[in-house]
Amino acid sequence: MNKKLFSLMAVLTLSTAIYAQEETDNNKVTLSGSIQSDVLIPQEDTKIGSPKYDDWALTNTYADLNLMSKNIDAGLRFEFLKHPLPGFEKDFKGWGVPYFYIKGKFEKLEITAGNFYDQFGSGFILRNYEERSLGIDNSLLGVRFVYKPYKGIRFKALTGEQRRYWGHSPSWISGTDLELNLDEWFKRLQESDTRIMLGGSFVNKYEDDENDQIFADATHKLNLPQNVNAFDARLQIQKGGFNVLAEYAHKTQDPSFDNGYIYRNGNVAMLSASYSKKGLSFLVQAKRSDNFSFRSRRTMTGTSSFINHLPAFTEDQTYALAALYPYATHPDGEWAYQAQFGYNFKRRTAIGGRYGMNLKVNFSHVHAIDRTPNLIGSVNGTTALGTKGYGSAFFKWGDQTYYQDINIQLERRLTKSFKLSLMYMNQFYNKTIVEGHGGMVHSDIFIADGRYTISPKMTLRGEAQYLATKGDQGNWMFGLLELSIVPHWMFTVSDEYNSGDTKLHYYQGFVTFNAGAHRLQLGYGRTRAGFNCSGGVCRYVPASKGFTLSYNYNF
C-alpha cells in the first residue's frame, strides 16, 4: 500500500471512528456492506485450450464496508486478486484497499473526498463505474461537490485521478455538470404531467506530453495536446408515457493509440424516443459517433482507462447462444440504430388465449460512418499519424456493416403450471471489426425456454437452444435443466456443444444454496473461450475447467 493511500485511509478510519462515538438517537449510524468471492480450482484441459496454473486455486474476492448517517457517510473496499481468475492475470494481480471515501451531506450541498463514481448525462463525456465481470473500475480519486441551490437545479463539480488497476493514470480529470428541471419551476407543466430537463457538461483531461514520446517518423516527434476538452448538451422531454431525449457531445483534438494519433475533433449525437403504457411499449433511437474514444492515458488499449462510455444500442442477451457473438462499441465511429416493440395480448382473446401472451421484437443495426482520407497527410490513401486523418459526411454511411440482429420473443402460459418462452434471432456479426479477424458471421438462433411449477415450492425450468451458421466454428447446441426448491436450493446442469468444427462439449453443473443474505454456489465444468460483454464493452475470457465456488453476502 503506497504512502498516499495509507494516509488517506488513516484519515478516513479516524474520522469514521470519531463520528461513530458521537452517535445520538437523532443521528444514528448504520453499517452495511457485502462480500463477494469467486473461486476456481483449475484443471488442465488441452482439448479446450485450458492451461495448467501454478496456483491450486484462483480467486477474485471483494469486501465492501459502508457507514451511513444523517450527515456523514464513509466506506471502503478490500480487494484480493493475488491469484486472479482466468482473464485477470496481467494487470489485475494484487491486493489492497483501492477504494475508500468519506462524504458530508448537508441541506443543499454534498461533498465527497476519496474515490467516487459519477456520470454526466448518458455518459458520452464522463462515466465512472464498476463492472467486476469485465474487470472495469474507473473510479476517480479526488473531490466531488453536488450542490442544489434551488428546486430544479443540480450542479456538480469534480476533479481527480482515474484508477487504472492498482495505480492511477498519469493525468488529471476535472468536470462540471448542470441540470435544470423546468417542470419544478412552472405549475402549468406539472398540471399537464410534463417534465422538461436541460443539461450541460464540461470535462477536461490534463495529461503531460512528457509521459509519451510519439514520433511521426525518425526525426519528427508529435506535439501532443496537454489539455483535451469535452462538452455535452442534452434536452429531455417527458409527457405521460412519452419520453424524448436529444444529446450532443464534442471533444477537442485527442491523438491516441485508438485513433492512430490523428488530430481530429470528435463528436457524438443521439436521439431517442420511447412510449410506454400498460400492455404496450416501443423504443426507437439512433446514435452517430465519430472519433470519440476518450481515455485518461492516450497510449492505452483494451477496456481500461476510459473516461466515457458509448452505449452499444444492441440488446444485452442472457441466453447462452444468443450471447455467443456479442457486439462491442466501435470507438472510431459508427451509426447505431435500435427499435423495440412490446405488446401484451389480453387474456381470453383469440391470440392471448386463456392466460394472455407477451410479444417483444427488437431490431439493432450498426454501420460504419463515412471515412474519406484527407488528400493532405495521407499515405497511399490511408490516414497517417500526425494528420487530421479523414473527412466524414454526417449522414453518409461507410461501406461496412458492423452488426445487425432482429429477434422475436413470445412468452405464453399454456396451463396454470406451465409457461413457455420462444425466441428467434437472425444475426450478422462482423468478427473482423469486433475481434480483428474472422469475417462476417451470419447465424440463425432458435430458443425454447419452459418453466413447470411442480408445487408451490418446486419449479423445473429447461432451455433448448440451437445456433445455425456456415461461418466461424459452425453450429452450436445448448441444453439446460434447473430445479428450484424454495427457499434454499437450486440444482443446474447444462451442456454447450459445438456440432460444427470442434465437436467439443462444455458441460457444467451447479448446486446453489440461499439462506437469508447468504448465497453459496458450488460447481464443476468447462467454460469456453469467448467474450463477456455488457453495454457494448467486452472482455476476452480464456477457456477454463475445474471446480468453482461462489459466495455472496449482503448486510
Side-chain angles (χ1 to χ4, degrees), residues 196-419:
I196 300 177
M197 185 278 294
L198 292 172
S201 309
F202 167 77
V203 171
N204 168 266
K205 178 190 74 168
Y206 175 80
E207 184 178 4
D208 196 329
D209 62 350
E210 293 182 359
N211 291 319
D212 305 303
Q213 302 291 319
I214 309 298
F215 288 84
D217 54 42
T219 57
H220 294 84
K221 182 172 76 74
L222 295 185
N223 183 18
L224 300 170
Q226 293 185 332
N227 288 282
V228 177
N229 299 315
F231 310 86
D232 179 277
R234 54 195 180 273
L235 168 66
Q236 185 174 22
I237 301 174
Q238 294 178 266
K239 182 174 176 59
F242 285 98
N243 187 343
V244 177
L245 172 64
E247 189 164 356
Y248 177 80
H250 179 87
K251 180 169 65 75
T252 60
Q253 294 177 351
D254 184 19
S256 68
F257 180 89
D258 286 335
N259 65 13
Y261 297 99
I262 61 173
Y263 288 73
R264 175 178 173 82
N265 293 333
N267 59 76
V268 56
M270 180 185 74
L271 182 62
S272 176
S274 64
Y275 175 75
S276 178
K277 71 172 187 178
K278 186 177 180 180
L280 173 67
S281 66
F282 74 81
L283 166 72
V284 289
Q285 53 187 2
K287 170 178 64 76
R288 182 190 187 274
S289 58
D290 180 4
N291 187 35
F292 220 80
S293 173
F294 194 17
R295 298 188 192 245
S296 55
R297 181 73 186 272
R298 59 174 69 91
T299 57
M300 288 297 101
T301 61
T303 60
S304 78
S305 306
F306 277 105
I307 299 170
N308 68 332
H309 174 74
L310 298 177
F313 279 22
T314 59
E315 187 175 14
D316 283 337
Q317 300 290 342
T318 56
Y319 289 111
L321 296 188
L324 187 68
Y325 297 110
Y327 180 71
T329 304
H330 199 57
D332 281 357
E334 62 183 29
W335 265 110
Y337 309 88
Q338 186 176 24
Q340 280 188 356
F341 173 78
Y343 187 76
N344 289 328
F345 293 93
K346 295 182 179 179
R347 300 173 58 184
R348 305 186 187 284
T349 61
I351 299 178
R354 182 176 180 181
Y355 298 99
M357 184 176 72
N358 176 261
L359 167 69
K360 181 180 177 182
V361 181
N362 179 85
F363 173 75
S364 298
H365 180 89
V366 186
H367 208 94
I369 61 171
D370 171 50
R371 291 167 64 94
T372 305
N374 289 336
L375 295 178
I376 300 175
S378 65
V379 179
N380 297 325
T382 304
T383 58
L385 73 167
T387 71
K388 288 191 175 181
Y390 57 90
S392 181
F394 187 87
F395 288 105
K396 187 177 180 181
W397 277 8
D399 58 359
Q400 291 194 74
T401 295
Y402 291 166
Y403 180 88
Q404 178 179 295
D405 82 57
I406 180 167
N407 63 79
I408 303 171
Q409 300 179 53
L410 291 173
E411 183 179 285
R412 183 168 183 168
R413 184 178 294 279
L414 301 181
T415 68
K416 187 176 181 181
S417 302
F418 184 67
K419 180 189 290 186

Side-chain angles (χ1 to χ4, degrees), residues 461 480-484 490-494 508-512 521-522 524:
R461 189 176 74 89
L480 175 144
L481 284 175
E482 181 179 85
L483 178 65
S484 300
M490 180 183 292
F491 303 89
T492 306
V493 291
S494 68
Q508 291 186 333
F510 298 99
V511 178
T512 305
Q521 183 183 80
L522 177 64
Y524 178 78

Side-chain angles (χ1 to χ4, degrees), residues 134 312-330 334 364 366 402-405 425 427-436 441 443 445 467 472 496 528-541:
L134 299 178
F313 279 22
T314 59
E315 187 175 14
D316 283 337
Q317 300 290 342
T318 56
Y319 289 111
L321 296 188
L324 187 68
Y325 297 110
Y327 180 71
T329 304
H330 199 57
E334 62 183 29
S364 298
V366 186
Y402 291 166
Y403 180 88
Q404 178 179 295
D405 82 57
M425 182 173 180
Q427 183 185 60
F428 290 85
Y429 174 81
N430 194 326
K431 195 173 181 182
T432 300
I433 291 296
V434 180
E435 303 181 28
V441 181
S443 58
I445 305 166
L467 184 150
D472 201 25
E496 187 173 358
R528 64 170 178 82
F531 284 87
N532 181 20
C533 296
S534 177
V537 180
C538 298
R539 182 180 70 87
Y540 179 76
V541 180

